Amino acid sequence: MISAERIPNNVGLSSNKRLQRALEHWQPKYIQWWRDMGPQGFQDYHQVYVRTAVSVDPSGWAHFEYVKLPEYRWGIFLADPVHDRRIGFGDFMGQSVWQEVPGEFRNQLRRLVVTQGDTEPASVEQQRWLGQRCPSLYDLRNLFQVNVEEGRHLWAMVYLLHSYFGRDGRDEAEELLERQSGNRDKPRILDAFNEPIENWLDFFMFTMFTDRDGKSQLLSLSESSLDPLSRTTRFMLTEEAHHMFVGETGIARILERTCQLMKQAGFSEDVRKMGGIDLPTIQKFINLWFSLSLDLHGNEVSTNAASYFANGLKGRAYEERWDDHSVSEAMYELELLKDGRLQRGHIPMRTAMNEVLRDWYVGDCQNGVTRWNRILERHGISDRLRLPDRKFNRGIGMFSAMHFDPFGQPLSDAEWERRKDEWLPNPRDREYLLSIQAEPVYEPGKFANYIAPPQRGIKGAPVNFEYVRTEL
Ligand code: BYC
């Protein structure tokens, strides 16, 4: 019998026999998946100083302890209910929110929950080798914190599938453990979650840009008329914030170190000679992960998105900040690619909801890049990092039909082939990064040469705290 203590929760698990039975069936498969596909080499002997959510109030949420990863207590939490919550947008605006899934929207809602759920284990799979190349114990612990929380996000979606989608939901929950990132026969659903994350620059960019798409999507799902989905995603957002912190500060620390090395080299030397990561390489990884994460917002013109909005399934980020919540007449202006030519045009705003969310996302990413540039400025370095144009390197949406440079200028196929290595990581860049990450740093307080230490440790602990310890 699964005890409520093993699965911290605020969904009344101990009195819900049906859910308990469903989870009893699913949990052993999850643990087996974690052992097979989770952090490689960190399953049995290592204890990690992680936080475990034991309740949704701040004191219970920030509960820290040493745990062996497969023994982490993955919990199920919903944000507190909002009294008399009403549907805030679309055709049913003003009506009471739903506590059960309406039959007519069952397929659409299931698809949204499954797509969201699929990304969570995918990211753990993508990151499973990074522990073997970590720049410090502090970073190793952060990686595992992110991993266990992605695992918990999977639990959150599986809770919804088991509780609200009957037999189909149970089948989907099993399949979430069967698809595998990068597997040719059974890949993960969205493309970015099949890309390898083989080095720590990939990891920090992923947590900066791809987890931020998690934020976009969770913000829009937290507006949903399906109240359990809204409450689940609202709590997930609090965890997502830490993942983006890991990404943004990880890159900030690399930049700090790169600037120090550039100065030592008299501003002229290639920092690779000193074991650092040069700014052009950092820019290429921004280009890659930003463009992959733009794709995760879907097509610019999407009837799916229009219908999600009309039916109240998925809103806009911070829906309450908009004036018009029905959006039945409004038009949206955007750049369109028609017959191979770029032109500005207008489309009904409901069909542009993916693009509206992407606008929010681009703004949020830009704020992060601006903060990174302050580090360069502080060191008196005139180079600046930038987001590439949103047409660059797209695999989804209308701009995927053509090639564009990072400034948004169209390119012929031949020109793209000739120049893409200038803008995206090439095999030599990847080889170099692996070469400086070949030896993991497991000594407390020590950091790899290419990254500066953080300004402070975790939860008041010093930077040289033993965040991961080996029990042998
Ligand atoms: N890759 O009408 P469209 C996170 C397909 S990340 C492959 O635009 P829609 C996290 C689409 O399936 C957040 N295929 O689609 C971060 C459809 O195919 P079919 C995850 C794609 O549905 C880090 C066709 O194109 N959250 O949480 O409007 C670590 C038509 O496209 C892609 C969600 O996904 C793609 N990128 O928009 C851990 C939220 N994009 O069926 C976690 C839920 C589109 O016609 N999902 N297609 O053959 C959604 O809201 C929507 O599914 C999407 C796509 C916004 C993703």
Side-chain angles (χ1 to χ4, degrees), residues 111-124 126-127 146 150 153 188-194 206-207 209-218 220-221 236 240 243 292-306 308 314 354 357-358 395-397:
R111 182 180 164 151
L112 287 173
V113 170
V114 167
T115 310
Q116 177 64 46
D118 192 69
T119 63
E120 317 290 358
S123 67
V124 177
Q126 286 171 293
Q127 296 163 15
V146 169
E150 300 301 7
H153 291 182
R188 291 294 174 184
I189 297 171
L190 300 173
D191 296 340
F193 293 89
N194 289 305
F206 180 93
T207 41
F209 291 113
T210 310
D211 273 276
R212 197 172 304 275
D213 166 58
K215 182 177 170 189
S216 295
Q217 301 296 337
L218 292 174
S220 70
L221 292 174
M236 288 161 75
E240 207 69 52
H243 305 183
L292 286 171
S293 307
L294 286 177
D295 277 346
L296 290 173
H297 290 75
N299 289 284
E300 288 78 11
V301 187
S302 167
T303 49
N304 282 342
Y308 295 154
K314 198 180 161 195
N354 287 342
L357 196 56
R358 199 167 5 240
I396 294 283

Side-chain angles (χ1 to χ4, degrees), residues 224-469:
S224 181
S225 312
L226 180 61
D227 204 41
L229 174 59
S230 162
R231 290 175 58 199
T232 309
T233 46
R234 253 187 290 148
F235 185 64
M236 288 161 75
L237 275 166
T238 56
E239 290 162 317
E240 207 69 52
H242 172 257
H243 305 183
M244 288 177 293
F245 164 86
V246 169
E248 184 173 332
T249 56
I251 298 295
R253 288 162 48 216
I254 290 179
L255 284 172
E256 180 67 34
R257 183 65 185 143
T258 298
C259 291
Q260 289 169 5
L261 291 172
M262 282 172 86
K263 276 185 177 164
Q264 278 175 28
F267 292 103
S268 58
E269 283 294 312
D270 175 2
V271 292
R272 281 195 189 189
K273 287 193 187 128
M274 304 168 81
I277 305 181
D278 49 298
L279 295 178
T281 301
I282 295 173
Q283 180 64 57
K284 286 180 185 182
F285 278 78
I286 294 177
N287 294 348
L288 175 66
W289 285 104
F290 177 68
S291 56
L292 286 171
S293 307
L294 286 177
D295 277 346
L296 290 173
H297 290 75
N299 289 284
E300 288 78 11
V301 187
S302 167
T303 49
N304 282 342
S307 138
Y308 295 154
F309 187 85
N311 296 330
L313 312 184
K314 198 180 161 195
R316 290 167 290 189
Y318 306 108
E319 183 61 47
E320 77 281 1
R321 294 184 191 167
W322 296 79
D323 294 328
D324 173 9
H325 301 289
S326 151
V327 197
S328 43
E329 309 287 321
M331 300 297 281
Y332 179 86
E333 188 185 343
L334 76 172
E335 196 166 27
L336 293 165
L337 186 60
K338 270 201 180 143
D339 307 322
R341 290 191 32 209
L342 288 171
Q343 57 190 78
R344 298 214 59 90
H346 291 84
I347 60 171
M349 190 151 184
R350 280 189 175 188
T351 62
M353 285 304 173
N354 287 342
E355 193 62 8
V356 171
L357 196 56
R358 199 167 5 240
D359 288 340
W360 175 85
Y361 172 79
V362 172
D364 211 46
C365 290
Q366 182 55 55
N367 293 340
V369 173
T370 304
R371 286 190 290 272
W372 286 341
N373 278 332
R374 285 200 200 115
I375 300 171
L376 300 177
E377 208 175 325
R378 183 159 42 77
H379 282 275
I381 287 168
S382 57
D383 304 70
R384 291 292 175 265
L385 298 166
R386 57 189 302 281
L387 294 175
D389 186 271
R390 40 172 118 181
K391 299 188 286 302
F392 172 76
N393 191 40
R394 294 293 300 278
I396 294 283
M398 65 182 135
F399 303 121
S400 63
M402 275 178 68
H403 293 300
F404 296 88
D405 73 9
F407 301 94
Q409 294 306 311
L411 295 172
S412 67
D413 290 358
E415 186 78 345
W416 168 258
E417 281 306 318
R418 201 171 63 76
R419 299 194 59 191
K420 67 174 190 230
D421 277 5
E422 284 173 40
W423 302 315
L424 291 170
N426 61 42
R428 287 178 307 287
D429 299 323
R430 293 198 166 278
E431 217 172 280
Y432 173 69
L433 290 172
L434 285 180
S435 78
I436 57 170
Q437 297 177 11
E439 292 299 320
V441 181
Y442 293 144
E443 203 180 316
K446 287 261 161 10
F447 287 81
N449 177 46
Y450 63 85
I451 190 165
Q455 275 161 7
R456 61 188 71 83
I458 289 151
K459 184 78 170 122
V463 169
N464 64 3
F465 186 71
E466 195 174 9
Y467 289 104
V468 179
R469 63 185 187 203

Side-chain angles (χ1 to χ4, degrees), residues 74-126:
W74 282 281
I76 303 173
F77 291 101
L78 272 57
D80 288 335
V82 173
H83 176 67
D84 193 29
R85 181 167 170 252
R86 303 272 156 173
I87 297 174
F89 60 94
D91 295 344
F92 306 111
M93 175 142 171
Q95 297 180 12
S96 284
V97 290
W98 315 319
Q99 298 306 329
E100 292 294 333
V101 175
E104 63 271 41
F105 305 134
R106 194 182 170 89
N107 286 347
Q108 282 187 320
L109 280 165
R110 195 184 59 217
R111 182 180 164 151
L112 287 173
V113 170
V114 167
T115 310
Q116 177 64 46
D118 192 69
T119 63
E120 317 290 358
S123 67
V124 177
E125 293 168 358
Q126 286 171 293

